[in-house]
Amino acid sequence: MDNLRTRIIGKRILFVEDVQSTNDEARRLSSLGEKEGTVVVAASQIKGRGRLGRRWISPPGGIYLSIILKPYISPSKFPVITLLSSVAVVRTIRGMTGLDTSVKWPNDVVICGKKVGGILCEAVKNTVIVGIGINLNTSISLFPSSLKKQVTSIRFELGANVDRDRVIKILLEEIDKLYRDFLHHKQDEIVSEWSGLCRTLGNMVRIETAKGTISGLAERIGGRGELLVRGYDGKIKKVHPADAIKVILEEA
Ligand code: BT5
């Protein structure tokens, strides 16, 4: 990729046509000794994955990429990598298109409440694979009818295609900056920028977990990416991102 201004990310970028999942491919390369910063970009995915074994629909036109990171930071802070990745996606989309893009806890990027992107971070020992999916020049007609009302793409919002390589370049540069902030212990600043972009905070939410539903006011995000919800009994409950099966925003 020409003129990529990064220090860690994208020293090596592998472009593939289709792949089962870029996260699996990045993980495979990492297990073979691939260095930190390598990126796998696919034109489409056959078995794109979301969290909790869910499917990520990955037709041509979208961005599907995974980055190999080897942070020398306590694994307890790894959830902040999901937050910094979604901040990078929002900065990129806002900067390139002006679209009013925000984040939804724990790992969604949304435009007008509709999901335009998602992050899937998977840690294996001290390696984190950051998977990012963005519906860029994606036609909404390619989504199953059950999803059509809750998803959007940048092309749909703008009514025009956007240069995919340029979006990838800016995105990798934004992630590189934020990842270096993360390594320099600026996690609080990342959490604070993420919080400013979040529509979940300050709203009443209902969160489905394997142990039951948690309802209340989404007050803030903790330093480990956990959502602090003030229940109707006035007590704060912490919900870890990995436990959130479904997050529903209640209209106030
Ligand atoms: C996510 O999961 O949002 C994480 C998605 C990460 C995808 C990237 S693509 C590159 C890398 N390689 C992979 O294999 N994965 C990563 P989750 O929060 O579990 O959301 C999944 C849910 O979003 C699904 O159950 C659908 O409801 C919905 N969904 C599926 N495909 C979508 C799409 N393309 N756009 C918007 N929503 C989608």
Side-chain angles (χ1 to χ4, degrees):
M1 177 161 283
D2 294 338
N3 301 322
L4 183 68
R5 279 174 301 200
T6 57
R7 297 218 191 123
I8 301 173
I9 291 166
K11 294 284 164 254
R12 202 158 109 83
I13 305 181
L14 302 157
F15 287 92
V16 289
E17 262 317 298
D18 59 4
V19 72
Q20 296 286 319
S21 151
T22 54
N23 265 34
D24 292 347
E25 186 56 15
R27 192 192 289 208
R28 188 183 71 77
L29 292 169
S30 170
S31 73
L32 296 174
E34 190 68 41
K35 290 198 185 114
E36 177 171 65
T38 293
V39 184
V40 179
V41 183
S44 63
Q45 299 183 115
I46 297 157
K47 261 193 171 167
R49 286 189 285 113
R51 298 182 310 122
L52 309 164
R54 294 189 285 228
R55 202 170 151 216
W56 185 256
I57 315 250
S58 312
I63 289 178
Y64 315 102
L65 62 80
S66 299
I67 308 168
I68 299 172
L69 298 179
K70 300 187 187 272
Y72 47 82
I73 292 264
S74 158
S76 66
K77 301 271 172 60
F78 286 0
V80 177
I81 298 178
T82 303
L83 304 183
L84 77 82
S85 305
S86 37
V87 168
V89 173
V90 172
R91 283 187 188 175
T92 304
I93 299 177
R94 284 190 177 188
M96 287 189 71
T97 69
L99 289 168
D100 184 9
T101 315
S102 53
V103 296
K104 180 181 170 213
W105 189 83
N107 64 320
D108 292 357
V109 179
V110 295
I111 297 177
C112 295
K114 292 183 173 179
K115 188 156 168 170
V116 72
I119 316 290
L120 176 68
C121 286
E122 296 177 306
V124 189
K125 295 187 190 150
N126 277 334
T127 299
V128 178
I129 308 293
V130 180
I132 300 179
I134 305 174
N135 302 328
L136 186 71
N137 300 322
T138 318
S139 164
I140 301 295
S141 65
L142 297 173
F143 287 98
S145 47
S146 56
L147 279 185
K148 276 194 181 117
K149 280 195 179 146
Q150 65 199 60
V151 304
T152 191
S153 73
I154 294 175
R155 168 163 117 177
F156 179 79
E157 298 294 331
L158 282 182
N161 277 344
V162 180
D163 183 340
R164 184 167 166 274
D165 284 351
R166 194 157 161 70
V167 176
I168 293 173
K169 174 184 182 299
I170 307 281
L171 176 62
L172 296 182
E173 290 175 349
E174 291 292 358
I175 296 182
D176 190 76
K177 275 185 252 164
L178 284 154
Y179 179 56
R180 281 185 285 120
D181 287 347
F182 172 76
L183 294 179
H184 292 126
H185 303 284
K186 294 189 185 159
Q187 286 99 14
D188 289 352
E189 291 170 29
I190 294 166
V191 172
S192 140
E193 182 170 351
W194 187 94
S195 302
L197 297 172
C198 179
R199 295 280 159 83
T200 320
L201 299 179
N203 277 298
M204 302 305 287
V205 289
R206 194 150 45 88
I207 301 163
E208 288 173 15
T209 75
K211 289 187 194 146
T213 302
I214 295 163
S215 297
L217 179 70
E219 275 200 356
R220 65 183 182 87
I221 297 290
R224 295 176 181 186
E226 69 278 25
L227 183 65
L228 304 178
V229 179
R230 190 167 297 278
Y232 296 111
D233 56 4
K235 290 188 185 139
I236 286 279
K237 295 190 184 77
K238 272 190 194 175
V239 195
H240 193 267
D243 296 329
I245 297 173
K246 200 168 178 190
V247 180
I248 300 145
L249 286 188
E250 309 273 31
E251 293 305 324

